[in-house]
């Protein structure tokens, strides 16, 4: 009778009503429930709910839960289920439930009132799809990726020993393929690449398209950091297989950046930024490789940016200055010239080495005005010494020239103008150029060098031996000085054994080569008496290094030369028989 009362009340409502016995057999159901599932009342009443309305793969598990729940009076009062309608459609129903008791208090069955929210669920799904998925690949988009990442972060905070990793995967040749085969082919490649990524990870991991040809992979619950690196290797191998796009096979590789989730992270964006940073590093180091983010990369990126901003102002604020390292006769230590070396007195960081800021200056193009300033400054200094001692016409001033300056079209004019303005004799100026600057554009370099040489300017090849120049190339350039890199000079004695022997042979070969070509040799970075003796025995005439002098501030350098006379002349006189 109770059922009849309930039925009466429910019939008029747009709700599914159902009464089951303790085994799941349908004792009654509402007309609305019939309408929604597509079955007639006759088909439903008397049948088992789970046999008719539940998907076969879930049937037994759900029946067991139900039977157990009813008997123990332990069913939740709110249950969401998906029913399978007669035509196969899914019907999503939210139920309010109640266990029915017999007069002895034992559970005898179940009553439920349900709302069909299939439409609403589909709307929500669609809505989620649009906002959280990439329409092309169907993968999660950046928003969804970040929200998953936030979840992983919060789990990390609460569970010790829980590791996760973010991989940023960037296709190396996507632009080439997109430009040459067209956008449709490009799109296909992206969809395929997305599939490959999904095939490389576990179902609980997230693969997202972050934008363009950049994908993100979130691997949650890793045993160790090594697993993330192994996964990067797996992904790279999988992407190396050719992609079939229409009739064409396209090849690509991937550069991967890895960031490991750690307690230092508060925000998901930061993890992603670091993985991105590592990916750029992988690209910069030659693509088709992976890099694991380290704290230092972030610091480096920030530091570089700050330095760049500061460097732009350094010239105007007189923070740059030049120091002068003597170049001496190896035998006597007498000064024959100086190399001008740039320094930066940073207002906060103190003195910064050119090794740390010349690369930034080169990257930003600032090296052109800065290099020009060094040239002027060095020439002004030399000129002022000559004013004090006009007999110093034998003294040379060497100035480093970056390859970026070397390629700048106005170099020749700048040099001419500097010589004119400062009144320095071109014969006293030497320009130091690295092998790579010559090799980047050998034809243009040969012309430019011939031109400079024609004016009497000296030309040195710097850091000789560290580049990859072939000797035949070297012969094409009108150079007059070879500077043997410090690495060979120190390696000649200090490393001992086989390495020392081969370094020694190399230095010997360079000195012999230079002599045969009529060139001077300067050994760089001579620090010990042992090195000096050996170099002298090999026939090297000139040297530079801490053994003789560190680079000096302009005042100290001046003291060294204003009263000097030509050391070569002195040597010449010394070898002559005494006069009279
Ligand atoms: P570099 O042209 O090879 O200059 C020689 C470097 O070796 C200088 O370092 C010098 O201080 C250092 N050195 C000299 N003797 C010794 C020694 O006995 N032991 C050791 N350990 N080092 C020695 P610095 O001044 O730090 O300059 C580094 C590099 O920065 C230079 O290498 C050059 O490539 C670049 N550089 C410096 N000034 C300029 C400049 O005005 N323009 C350009 N384009 N590059 C510059
Ligand atoms: Ca140099
Ligand atoms: Ca050098």
């Amino acid at each position: 009778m109770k059922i009849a009362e309930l039925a009466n009340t429910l019939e008029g409502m747009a709700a599914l009503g159902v009464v089951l016995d303790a085994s799941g057999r349908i004792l009654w159901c509402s007309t609305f429930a019939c309408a929604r599932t597509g079955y007639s009342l006759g088909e439903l009443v008397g049948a088992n709910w789970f046999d008719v309305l539940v998907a076969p793969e879930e049937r037994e598990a759900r029946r067991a839960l139900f039977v157990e729940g009813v008997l123990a009076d332990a069913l939740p009062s709110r249950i969401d289920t998906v029913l399978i309608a007669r035509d196969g459609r899914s019907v999503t129903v939210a139920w309010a439930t109640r266990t029915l008791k017999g007069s002895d208090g034992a559970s005898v069955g179940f009553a439920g009132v349900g709302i069909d929210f299939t439409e609403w669920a589909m709307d929500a799904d669609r809505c989620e799809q649009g906002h959280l998925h990439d329409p092309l690949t169907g993968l999660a988009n950046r928003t969804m990726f970040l929200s998953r990442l936030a979840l992983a972060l919060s789990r990390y905070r609460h569970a010790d020993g829980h590791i996760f990793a973010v991989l940023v995967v960037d296709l190396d040749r996507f632009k080439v393929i997109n430009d040459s085969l067209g956008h449709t082919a490009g799109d296909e490649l992206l969809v395929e690449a997305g599939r490959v990524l999904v095939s490389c990870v576990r179902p609980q991991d997230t693969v997202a398209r972050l934008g363009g040809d950049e994908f993100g992979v979130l691997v949650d619950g890793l045993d160790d950091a090594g697993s993330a690196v192994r996964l990067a290797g797996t992904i790279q191998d999988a992407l190396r297989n050719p992609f079939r796009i229409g009739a064409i096979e396209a090849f690509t590789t991937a550069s991967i950046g890895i960031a490991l989730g750690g307690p230092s992270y508060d925000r998901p964006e930061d993890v992603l930024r670091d993985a991105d940073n590592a990916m750029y590093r992988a690209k910069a180091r030659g693509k088709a490789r992976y890099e694991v983010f380290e704290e230092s990369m972030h610091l480096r990126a920030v530091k570089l940016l700050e330095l760049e901003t500061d460097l732009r102002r350094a010239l105007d604020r007189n923070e740059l200055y030049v120091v002068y390292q003597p170049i001496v006769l190896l035998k006597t230590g007498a000064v024959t010239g100086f190399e001008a070396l740039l320094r930066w007195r940073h207002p906060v960081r103190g003195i910064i080495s050119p090794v740390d800021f010349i690369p930034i200056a080169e990257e930003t193009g600032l090296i052109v005005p800065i290099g020009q300033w060094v040239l002027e400054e060095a020439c002004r200094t030399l000129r002022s010494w000559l004013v004090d001692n006009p007999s110093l016409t034998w003294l040379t001033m060497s100035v480093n020239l970056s390859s970026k300056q070397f390629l700048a079209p106005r170099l020749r004019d700048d040099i001419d103008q500097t010589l004119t303005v400062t009144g320095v004799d071109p014969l006293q100026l030497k320009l130091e150029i690295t092998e790579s600057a010559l090799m980047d554009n050998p034809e243009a370099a040969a012309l430019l060098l011939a031109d400079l040489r024609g004016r009497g300017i000296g030309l040195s090849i710097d850091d000789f031996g560290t580049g990859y120049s072939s000797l035949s190339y070297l012969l094409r350039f009108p150079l007059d000085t070879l500077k043997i890199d410090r690495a060979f000079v120190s390696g000649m004695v200090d490393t001992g054994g086989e390495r020392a022997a081969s370094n020694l042979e190399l230095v010997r070969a360079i000195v012999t080569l230079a002599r045969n070509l009529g060139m001077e040799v300067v050994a760089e970075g001579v620090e010990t008496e042992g090195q000096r003796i050996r170099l002298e025995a090999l026939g090297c005439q000139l040297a530079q290094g801490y053994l003789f002098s560190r680079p000096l501030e302009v005042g100290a350098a001046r003291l060294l030369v204003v009263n000097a006379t030509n050391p070569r002349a002195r040597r010449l006189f010394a070898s002559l028989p005494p006069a009279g």
Side-chain angles (χ1 to χ4, degrees):
M1 281 42 71
K2 273 190 182 151
I3 293 176
E5 278 170 34
L6 182 68
N8 268 338
T9 319
L10 278 174
E11 274 304 350
M13 290 169 61
L16 293 84
V18 60
V19 178
L20 309 178
D21 74 9
S23 71
R25 199 164 59 95
I26 302 171
L27 301 177
W28 171 83
C29 73
S30 66
T31 317
F32 192 76
C34 294
R36 278 299 141 121
T37 58
Y39 289 102
S40 70
L41 198 60
E43 284 171 312
L44 288 179
V45 173
N48 190 290
W49 175 268
F50 296 92
D51 291 335
V52 184
L53 292 165
V54 175
E57 61 273 18
E58 292 186 351
R59 187 168 294 151
E60 292 319 318
R62 285 197 29 206
R63 187 180 352 239
L65 276 178
F66 171 83
V67 170
E68 210 175 287
V70 169
L71 290 183
D73 190 9
L75 282 180
S77 56
R78 276 271 298 105
I79 307 177
D80 290 347
T81 63
V82 178
L83 306 178
I84 306 301
R86 180 179 207 134
D87 62 5
R89 273 185 316 115
S90 299
V91 181
T92 309
V93 182
W95 299 96
T97 72
R98 180 146 188 210
T99 304
L100 303 176
K101 305 264 171 84
S103 49
D104 59 352
S107 303
V108 292
F110 160 95
V113 179
I115 307 287
D116 176 356
F117 72 113
T118 309
E119 289 300 319
W120 188 85
M122 267 164 41
D123 277 356
D125 234 31
R126 262 197 299 273
C127 196
E128 181 166 275
Q129 282 278 338
H131 279 117
L132 300 175
H133 288 81
D134 168 49
L136 175 66
T137 59
L139 296 170
N141 65 10
R142 181 178 282 267
T143 311
M144 175 128 158
F145 191 73
L146 285 171
S147 89
R148 293 265 168 94
L149 196 49
L151 216 64
L153 271 176
S154 69
R155 258 203 303 266
Y156 188 92
R157 246 171 256 133
H158 297 126
D160 281 343
H162 177 96
I163 301 185
F164 69 91
V166 168
L167 280 68
V168 168
V169 181
D170 192 280
L171 304 180
D172 291 326
R173 298 190 61 243
F174 179 72
K175 207 179 132 38
V176 180
I177 293 168
N178 205 41
D179 290 351
S180 57
L181 300 181
H183 289 291
T184 318
D187 284 356
E188 269 180 57
L189 178 69
L190 290 175
V191 172
E192 265 316 302
R195 267 192 214 127
V196 169
L197 288 178
V198 170
S199 76
C200 290
V201 303
R202 306 161 305 171
Q204 65 263 42
D205 301 328
T206 304
V207 176
R209 181 171 169 226
L210 302 174
D213 57 344
E214 200 175 294
F215 295 87
V217 179
L218 169 64
V219 224
D220 207 351
L222 286 175
D223 301 330
D224 55 36
S227 326
V229 167
R230 282 190 290 279
L231 175 62
T234 308
I235 290 175
Q236 274 169 332
D237 288 344
L239 285 174
R240 223 167 256 139
N241 295 322
F243 289 92
R244 284 218 73 84
I245 298 173
I248 295 162
E249 279 198 336
F251 291 87
T252 184
T253 53
S255 297
I256 301 180
I258 305 170
L260 296 168
S264 59
Y265 288 114
D266 283 331
R267 304 174 336 130
E269 289 86 354
D270 295 344
V271 189
L272 196 54
R273 175 205 62 208
D274 288 350
D276 231 18
N277 247 324
M279 185 275 288
Y280 281 114
R281 176 106 164 188
K283 280 228 188 274
R285 290 191 166 177
K287 300 184 177 171
R289 51 182 297 148
Y290 62 80
E291 290 286 334
V292 181
F293 175 81
E294 306 157 38
E295 196 65 30
S296 60
M297 279 187 203
H298 177 54
L299 290 178
R300 208 183 107 81
V302 171
K303 208 175 128 197
L304 280 187
L305 200 67
E306 284 174 8
L307 274 187
E308 181 188 332
T309 317
D310 292 351
L311 191 56
R312 287 186 188 281
R313 295 188 287 240
L315 253 184
D316 300 333
R317 296 185 179 177
N318 290 320
E319 290 167 8
L320 299 180
Y321 65 101
V322 177
V323 291
Y324 300 90
Q325 186 175 36
I327 298 174
V328 303
L329 283 178
L330 195 71
K331 210 183 176 86
T332 61
V335 179
T336 64
F338 289 90
E339 176 176 3
L341 293 162
L342 185 57
R343 294 290 179 269
W344 179 11
R345 192 181 287 112
H346 189 282
V348 180
R349 291 168 201 248
I351 306 226
I352 302 180
S353 159
V355 179
D356 292 326
F357 70 85
I358 298 261
I360 305 172
E362 289 184 326
E363 217 167 281
T364 53
L366 284 168
I367 191 65
V368 174
I370 289 177
Q372 169 59 23
W373 178 82
V374 174
L375 179 68
E376 278 169 30
E377 185 67 13
C379 287
R380 270 196 298 269
T381 300
L382 178 62
R383 182 68 210 152
S384 73
W385 294 341
L386 272 151
V387 169
D388 293 340
N389 180 353
S391 75
L392 291 176
T393 48
W394 46 269
L395 191 73
T396 58
M397 181 60 81
S398 296
V399 177
N400 292 286
L401 218 55
S402 141
S403 59
K404 294 274 151 46
Q405 279 173 281
F406 198 61
L407 294 173
R410 38 182 260 226
L411 178 69
R412 231 175 293 201
D413 293 345
D414 284 350
I415 293 174
D416 276 349
Q417 214 200 333
T418 308
L419 290 174
T420 313
V421 169
T422 57
V424 162
D425 182 345
L427 289 171
Q428 288 187 266
L429 179 65
K430 286 184 157 230
L431 297 176
E432 299 197 354
I433 302 150
T434 60
E435 289 169 52
S436 58
L438 299 178
M439 292 311 172
D440 283 350
N441 194 348
E443 310 301 326
L447 285 174
L448 180 61
L449 292 187
D451 186 305
L452 296 172
R453 194 84 185 84
R455 299 162 202 226
I457 297 172
L459 299 171
S460 306
I461 188 152
D462 207 353
D463 307 341
F464 186 72
T466 57
Y468 40 81
S469 345
S470 73
L471 295 181
S472 63
Y473 252 112
L474 197 73
L475 290 171
R476 294 166 52 171
F477 299 113
L479 299 160
D480 41 48
T481 305
L482 275 186
K483 298 191 78 171
I484 305 176
D485 193 72
R486 179 159 64 90
F488 300 112
V489 173
S490 59
M492 203 172 59
V493 187
D494 303 344
T495 49
E498 232 170 76
R499 281 264 329 269
S502 71
N503 274 320
L504 187 71
E505 279 320 304
L506 202 96
V507 174
R508 191 199 305 280
I510 294 174
V511 173
T512 310
L513 169 79
R515 196 184 294 143
N516 291 341
L517 294 173
M519 295 165 84
E520 276 190 333
V521 181
V522 180
E524 290 188 305
V526 180
E527 291 180 346
T528 66
E529 184 58 21
Q531 292 166 350
R532 193 194 71 80
I533 290 169
R534 237 170 249 211
L535 286 163
E536 202 190 341
L538 293 176
C540 180
Q541 313 134 320
L542 296 167
Q544 198 178 339
Y546 295 170
L547 176 67
F548 306 102
S549 170
R550 293 197 172 239
L552 304 169
E553 305 234 346
V554 63
R558 178 181 175 278
L559 287 180
L560 215 58
V561 287
V562 281
N563 294 316
T565 49
N566 189 346
R568 296 185 201 240
R570 225 175 28 211
R571 200 170 49 144
L572 188 67
F573 292 141
S575 65
L576 291 173

